[in-house]
Amino acid sequence: MPAPRRLAAAAAALALSLTAAACGGTSGTSDASSRTPGGDGTAAERGAAPASGYPVKIENCGTTQVFDKAPSRVVVMNGASVAEVSTLLALGLGDRIAANQQSYGMSEVPGRAEAIKKLPTGGVRQNDAFGVPRESMIGLRPDLVLSTTSYGFDARNGFATRDELRNVGARTYISPQGCHDENSRLTIEDSYRLLRDMGRIFHVSDRAERIIAASRRHIDAVAAKVKGRKKPNVMMLFTNMTMGSNDFSAVVARGIYNDILGRAGATNVFENASKTSFADLSKEKVAATDVDALVVIAYQDPDPAAYAEKLFKEFPQWPAAKNHTYVTLSDSIYLSPDNDLAVERLAKKLHPEAF
């Protein structure tokens, strides 16, 4: 189970990123089965990257990262996310990954979790901060290291710093809104920004833009169907997870989740319960709130539906319990190339009459 601070920082997840969550086909089609789980990332799949496309400069969390060529030994830090590894695979860059530490166990994209599981891990044993220790990182000889938040480059966590990695020839990248180890301001646009930045770094911008355009079309089409309909009050939380001192400490308050809920025609009933990504709520507070629908986010949980059923028994007064209204999600609900899948899944469950 991820450490509470690391999980909150990544939430994407949680980020969980839970990223979780990786796709070689274009994002944005309403048929998730048409998305390639990974893709082998071969030159034939990507198309040749002309040398004239470099150098590429990326401004990232107060640093300027300069790339003279496409990275070939990428290390993906954990971050309780699969956003970064999913984005690389969506862009057909699987063969550039030397070591991946991200895993979610499930995905809205068929075959995604299996594709991630097949990636090399570098044989690294994680430290107590659930990441690649400094010495192991240097030993992997990376030329690019990806981290969900600044947490992954903090020496206090036993990790190699950005300066240390620069000194051994590695570029570093912190995903959007992760500069200060808190991502409560994330939106779907940040998922697109991650795609765009990786597209530039690896000279596959055309593919990144196709994925973004398809995702926008899909989300816009779903949002148009639910426009003007009454928005249910949704409680969104992670299954069987403790991140604070109260009974319900993994309840979503702010971040990309609310952007996705809004596009799907819903409102987060606990949006104002915290100024950070998660609210730490008492059982009494939860019991006194009218919850029209429950959204359960699964991180390494093979049966999130059982958790929803458990909550319905605990709070039978909820409209959600009386109508048995819940949605289970995993990697598409936070920073991800597949946010459109979360929007569609939520909208179809919360507004079935519109489809």
Side-chain angles (χ1 to χ4, degrees), residues 177-193:
Q177 304 295 341
C179 300
H180 304 293
D181 204 3
E182 166 56 40
N183 53 19
S184 59
R185 292 177 293 179
L186 275 171
T187 69
I188 294 172
E189 288 300 319
D190 291 306
S191 292
Y192 297 157
R193 179 180 166 192

Side-chain angles (χ1 to χ4, degrees), residues 50-113:
S52 61
Y54 294 93
V56 169
K57 293 183 179 180
I58 299 288
E59 299 298 326
N60 183 247
C61 294
T63 72
T64 300
Q65 303 291 315
V66 181
F67 297 84
D68 296 321
K69 61 181 180 179
S72 60
R73 291 190 59 80
V74 183
V75 174
V76 185
M77 293 287 280
N78 188 340
S81 174
V82 288
E84 292 75 27
V85 70
S86 295
T87 297
L88 291 180
L89 289 173
L91 293 170
L93 299 167
D95 66 339
R96 305 301 178 94
I97 300 174
N100 170 56
Q101 292 292 304
Q102 295 185 347
S103 173
Y104 209 85
M106 58 189 63
S107 174
E108 270 70 74
V109 180
R112 168 73 60 76

